[in-house]
Amino acid sequence: LAASTAALAQDAYPSKPVTILVPAAAGGPSDTVARLVAEAMGADLGQQVLIENVGGAGGSLGAGQVAKAEPDGYSLLLYHVGVSTFGALYPDLTYNPGEAFDSVGLVTDVPMTLVGRKDLEPADVGSLMTWLKGEGAGATFGTAGTGAVSDLCGRLLIEATGIELTVVPYKGTGPAMTDLVGGQIDLMCDQTTNTAGQIEGQQIKPYAVTTKEPISIFPQIPTLASSGLADFEITAWHAIWAPKGTPEPIRLRLSAALQKALKDPKLIERFANLGTVPVTDEMATPAAMDERFQSEIVRWGKLLAAKN
Ligand code: MLT
């Protein structure tokens, strides 16, 4: 009887609104991606897809909430590469990120930008690095907390250059951006989904992009790789996680809705204006995401262990 009740529940899925938890503040880059995806997925699922923001501790708090939620397809997590670093960065975490989730699918891979407050003295990335090694040493650097991708970018920068930064953690880079625009902090390394509008509006100063190649919305911004940091590369791949034990038919239904959402012309246009593109159908699947997530846990585990 229990098995047939579970099967019935899956057939009827979703019979009520689905909640996607974003483990960062509203108005930030993960929230922006999640809201666009949720609206389009909701249209295909025939149910509302609601967003809940639970920021703090780089996203590890909110992710923990989903890790412990009922695995029934109604509680999901949308976040990014950061989830693959929590195990290495938070030894006392009450869940094991590599084992606490089932995958739904990848969403997008967002380039990042090293940006400063608009009146920051150095004019380009070369003079920024010189400044940071001298008079600007210890400049304030806004992040969304340990394990957020803004924090990971800062760690890579510190490692690659030996500069000193004073890290200022927020509950998301949405609020950090408000302070950068207001001149309360000096620098951030954040996703184009949060910086594109402010760069275009000349509210902040762009120094470099973190991708191997320049990006099409800002071809004039140099890459860090071409600015003396030969192998520097970090992007924020986003994905949707479900609590471990979420039945496969439900995850496949969600993956199908995600694939459809990622073809929505409105979403594609909005993504393009924010400097990103949706992944292909093949990548928006549990199998492709599993592979990426598990290999990233290994990669970041090594990288962070080497640095600690
Ligand atoms: C956010 O939405 O605030 C970001 O994704 C946080 C980050 O990882 O930098």
Side-chain angles (χ1 to χ4, degrees):
L1 181 66
S4 61
T5 311
L8 261 178
Q10 286 171 33
D11 286 347
Y13 177 83
S15 60
K16 59 178 186 182
V18 172
T19 298
I20 295 185
L21 186 145
V22 174
S30 297
D31 183 66
T32 297
V33 167
R35 282 178 200 273
L36 289 167
V37 169
E39 195 186 328
M41 280 179 78
D44 184 60
L45 291 169
Q47 285 289 345
Q48 257 191 305
V49 178
L50 308 167
I51 299 294
E52 183 186 355
N53 299 89
V54 181
S60 63
L61 275 181
Q65 199 168 306
V66 178
K68 289 168 194 156
E70 210 47 56
D72 56 6
Y74 293 99
S75 300
L76 306 170
L77 171 75
L78 191 150
Y79 205 42
H80 53 51
V81 51
V83 183
S84 41
T85 69
F86 294 159
L89 290 172
Y90 291 94
D92 297 331
L93 214 59
T94 57
Y95 60 98
N96 177 343
E99 289 170 7
F101 298 106
D102 278 329
S103 296
V104 171
L106 294 160
V107 175
T108 181
D109 209 354
V110 187
M112 301 184 74
T113 46
L114 177 62
V115 292
R117 61 180 156 80
K118 66 170 182 276
D119 55 354
L120 202 64
E121 205 177 292
D124 54 39
V125 62
S127 34
L128 175 69
M129 291 305 161
T130 309
W131 181 74
L132 285 169
K133 285 177 187 159
E135 153 194 15
T140 46
F141 183 83
T143 75
T146 302
V149 69
S150 45
D151 170 75
L152 299 173
C153 180
R155 284 169 190 262
L156 294 182
L157 267 176
I158 290 169
E159 173 70 18
T161 59
I163 57 172
E164 274 175 48
L165 296 169
T166 305
V167 173
V168 184
Y170 291 79
K171 285 202 169 162
T173 52
M177 179 57 77
T178 306
D179 276 7
L180 186 70
V181 170
Q184 278 91 28
I185 52 172
D186 298 318
L187 291 163
M188 274 171 68
C189 179
D190 199 15
Q191 301 164 64
T192 54
T193 36
N194 203 34
T195 60
Q198 311 289 4
I199 291 174
E200 268 155 20
Q202 300 183 347
Q203 297 296 304
I204 55 176
K205 196 180 262 189
Y207 285 107
V209 293
T210 64
T211 43
K212 271 251 149 20
E213 302 295 329
I215 58 175
S216 57
I217 54 161
F218 297 126
Q220 75 283 11
I221 307 180
T223 63
L224 279 167
S226 69
S227 314
L229 305 182
D231 294 320
F232 197 100
E233 187 182 17
I234 182 169
T235 59
W237 57 266
H238 286 252
I240 299 179
W241 286 263
K244 189 81 185 173
T246 304
E248 196 183 15
I250 290 182
R251 288 191 289 131
L252 292 174
R253 176 70 191 91
L254 286 165
S255 163
L258 173 63
Q259 291 171 25
K260 197 121 179 239
L262 295 180
K263 289 195 196 75
D264 180 292
K266 228 174 74 190
L267 177 143
I268 294 174
E269 192 192 339
R270 190 80 185 103
F271 268 26
N273 292 334
L274 294 170
T276 194
V277 288
V279 300
T280 57
D281 281 359
E282 202 182 41
M283 301 307 280
T285 59
M289 176 178 161
D290 269 345
E291 202 180 308
R292 172 76 65 88
F293 182 43
Q294 296 301 336
S295 67
E296 286 281 276
I297 290 177
V298 174
R299 182 169 88 96
W300 282 98
K302 281 187 196 144
L303 241 129
L304 295 166
K307 285 176 183 154
N308 285 336

